[in-house]
């Protein structure tokens, strides 16, 4: 089997364990922090207070359905201060470490899933200097709020699956078909065949106990007289009962390797009055499909 390229690997992450789906393999959370920093000595009136922030963040824990994020915002405040004797002290600096945490809801995450930090940034910030009577703060406090956004990405794990021969399943389905004839036809001059090709079937959905297979078969009606051959495509859906592990839940891992007609019968209805001719063919077929795993496992 050819190697799966990077694009296909990342696309495979849209289908994850327990039959769940996500629209993306990146996930984000936001956290708002409040800070209150005493500025002593106080800043000079009508001067700008400069702020610099650096965010340190890590994934603390991956739980069932959630990822816990923890981090610290390192703030550095620089301003021109006024001393008690009225002199100015340039480049006064205050540093403050503000912890924060958030969590990301991922419905299908498990304890053994791996994630990496993709991005962390302050997306919105607001602050102002307010007056207070707290003695040590000398009437100047910097109060504000920061909103921090954290984005993580799932790390896929690719490996060959063992005991792959066990992952071959088959199931049957009844297919109903109706074909109308205008003008009406003589049943004695009609023969019916079914064309079925495994390549016309595809695995559409996989969960731990069921594989959904959809496809098309072709009904071919021929006549012993000069009536033209009639072909009609019939849509087919087969539900294949299975019992598989979570690492086999990607439809691209499965292929329909066999499809056949096991049995069939047909009848003619809607007769033309007193002519022995009929306008409709009604047919039932039992078809069987076999699906097999193509030996590449996505976790």
């Amino acid at each position: 089997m050819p190697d799966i390229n990077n694009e296909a690997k990342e696309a495979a992450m849209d289908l994850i364990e327990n039959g769940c789906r996500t629209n993306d393999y990146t996930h984000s959370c936001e956290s708002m922090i409040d800070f209150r920093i005493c500025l002593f000595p106080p800043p000079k009136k009508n001067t700008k207070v400069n702020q610099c922030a650096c965010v340190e963040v890590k994934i603390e824990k991956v739980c069932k359905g959630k990822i816990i994020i923890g981090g610290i915002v390192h703030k550095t405040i620089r301003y021109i201060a006024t001393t008690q004797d009225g002199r100015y002290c340039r480049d006064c600096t205050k540093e403050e470490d503000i912890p924060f945490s958030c969590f990301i809801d991922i419905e299908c995450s498990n304890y053994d899933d791996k994630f990496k930090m993709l991005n962390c940034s302050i997306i919105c910030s607001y602050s102002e200097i307010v007056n207070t009577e707290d003695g040590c703060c000398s009437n100047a406090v910097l109060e504000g709020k920061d909103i921090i956004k954290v984005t993580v990405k799932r790390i896929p794990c690719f490996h060959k699956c063992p005991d792959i021969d066990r992952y071959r399943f088959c199931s049957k389905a009844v297919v109903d078909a109706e074909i109308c004839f205008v003008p009406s036809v003589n049943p004695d001059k009609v023969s019916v065949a079914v064309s079925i090709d495994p390549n016309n079937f595809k695995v559409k959905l996989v969960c731990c106990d069921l594989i959904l297979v959809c496809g098309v078969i072709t009904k071919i009606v021929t006549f012993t007289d000069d009536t033209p051959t009639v072909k009609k495509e019939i849509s087919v859906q087969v539900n294949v009962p299975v019992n598989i592990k979570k690492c086999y839940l990607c439809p691209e891992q499965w292929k329909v390797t066999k499809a056949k007609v096991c049995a069939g019968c047909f009848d003619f209805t809607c007769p033309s009055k007193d002519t022995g001719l009929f306008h409709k063919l009604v047919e039932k077929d039992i078809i069987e499909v076999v699906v097999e795993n193509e030996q590449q496992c996505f976790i």
Side-chain angles (χ1 to χ4, degrees), residues 71-90:
I72 298 174
V73 178
H74 303 285
K75 277 192 172 290
T76 302
I77 313 299
R78 292 186 175 90
Y79 61 96
I80 299 176
T82 303
T83 58
Q84 289 182 347
D85 58 7
R87 296 180 180 180
Y88 297 139
C89 177
R90 290 186 175 275

Side-chain angles (χ1 to χ4, degrees), residues 6 11 17 19 25 53 61 84 87 105 119 158 170 175 189 195 205 214 222 248 253 260 262 266 287 293-294:
N6 291 333
E17 50 276 63
Y25 47 89
K61 184 72 174 178
Q84 289 182 347
R87 296 180 180 180
D105 278 314
N119 186 42
F158 300 87
C170 69
V175 180
K189 297 182 180 182
S195 174
L205 184 64
C214 295
T222 57
Y248 301 103
Q253 296 173 258
K260 68 176 184 178
C262 299
F266 64 90
I287 69 168
N293 191 284
E294 293 202 293

Side-chain angles (χ1 to χ4, degrees), residues 54 138 177 232:
C54 177
S138 190
K232 183 177 181 179

Side-chain angles (χ1 to χ4, degrees), residues 112-173:
D112 56 350
D113 288 344
K114 304 297 182 183
F115 293 84
K116 68 177 180 179
M117 193 64 59
L118 198 62
N119 186 42
C120 179
S121 61
I122 297 176
I123 60 175
C124 185
S125 183
Y126 163 78
S127 64
E128 64 176 348
I129 297 176
V130 298
N131 294 324
T132 179
E133 294 301 325
D134 292 347
C136 67
C137 293
S138 190
N139 297 331
V141 176
L142 181 67
E143 293 184 349
K145 301 177 184 293
D146 289 335
I147 298 177
I148 303 157
K149 182 175 182 179
V150 178
T151 303
V152 300
K153 181 177 180 179
R154 184 187 296 269
I155 301 174
C157 175
F158 300 87
H159 62 82
K160 295 291 183 179
C161 296
D163 55 18
I164 199 69
D165 288 341
R166 296 193 299 111
Y167 293 104
R168 177 183 299 161
F169 303 95
C170 69
S171 185
K172 295 181 176 68

Side-chain angles (χ1 to χ4, degrees), residues 156-203:
C157 175
F158 300 87
H159 62 82
K160 295 291 183 179
C161 296
D163 55 18
I164 199 69
D165 288 341
R166 296 193 299 111
Y167 293 104
R168 177 183 299 161
F169 303 95
C170 69
S171 185
K172 295 181 176 68
V174 177
V175 180
D176 294 298
E178 291 184 354
I179 300 177
C180 296
F181 302 104
V182 178
S184 54
V185 297
N186 185 345
D188 296 333
K189 297 182 180 182
V190 174
S191 62
V192 181
V194 179
S195 174
I196 185 168
D197 184 351
N199 293 323
N200 292 332
F201 288 79
K202 187 176 182 180
V203 173

Side-chain angles (χ1 to χ4, degrees), residues 210-246:
L210 186 72
I211 294 178
L212 174 64
V213 176
C214 295
V216 174
I217 63 175
T218 303
K219 297 284 186 180
I220 304 172
V221 182
T222 57
F223 304 87
T224 57
D225 55 19
D226 295 332
T227 305
T229 298
V230 176
K231 294 183 179 181
K232 183 177 181 179
E233 290 187 342
I234 308 297
S235 297
V236 177
Q237 176 179 309
V238 184
N239 298 325
V240 184
V242 298
N243 183 13
I244 56 178
K245 300 176 183 177
K246 65 179 183 180

